[in-house]
Amino acid sequence: QVHVVESGGGSVQSGGSLRLSCGASGDTTRRQCMGWFRQGAGKEREGVAAIDSDGKILYADAVKGRFTISQDKAKNTQYLQMNSLKPEDTAMYYCAASAYYCSSWYALQRSTYTYWGQGTQVTVSS
């Protein structure tokens, strides 16, 4: 079992930046995918960025060029650096980990992930 916890959300003005962190604990030896999802009010949860089991990085089109996902394997931590934030980025952001190996074809799909954090709120004002 893997436990994931997100932090780093907050309120910023349009154009600002935030960095989210996600710590994972438990069984992290299975080369799982790790990713970030978000869910805005009245919207479906969508994939934002992910690192698949082979280290390939995937981004949703809406955040390419603005968000950067990275990980510190020694600390079992991943990060989402969010720059040039827009009001439409306002959402609850979730960190997730798959149970087993995950390929890039599925890394931004909700059904790929078994373990989810509780979420951290990001609010961007205009």
Side-chain angles (χ1 to χ4, degrees):
Q1 193 171 37
V2 177
H3 302 275
V4 293
V5 179
E6 314 95 329
S7 63
S11 297
V12 298
Q13 292 184 311
S14 181
S17 298
L18 287 171
R19 189 177 77 158
L20 307 183
S21 299
C22 173
S25 62
D27 187 354
T28 60
T29 66
R30 301 177 186 271
R31 297 183 66 201
Q32 302 100 318
C33 281
M34 294 192 71
W36 291 94
F37 289 73
R38 67 185 182 186
Q39 187 168 15
K43 299 181 179 179
E44 297 294 319
R45 189 172 299 186
E46 63 180 355
V48 176
I51 302 175
D52 80 0
S53 296
D54 295 319
K56 184 176 180 180
I57 295 174
L58 288 303
Y59 294 103
D61 288 342
V63 307
K64 287 181 179 178
R66 299 189 297 120
F67 291 11
T68 302
I69 188 171
S70 61
Q71 65 181 167
D72 184 336
K73 293 181 179 180
K75 297 181 179 179
N76 290 322
T77 302
Q78 69 168 340
Y79 306 93
L80 185 67
Q81 178 67 46
M82 305 186 294
N83 297 326
S84 301
L85 283 162
K86 305 175 181 179
E88 51 262 46
D89 296 317
T90 295
M92 184 73 74
Y93 283 72
Y94 298 90
C95 181
S98 65
Y100 302 103
Y101 180 92
C102 157
S103 75
S104 61
W105 293 102
Y106 309 104
L108 289 176
Q109 302 299 314
R110 295 187 302 275
S111 61
T112 297
Y113 294 89
T114 300
Y115 307 105
W116 295 84
Q118 295 300 305
T120 185
Q121 178 68 37
V122 171
T123 301
V124 184
S125 60
S126 60

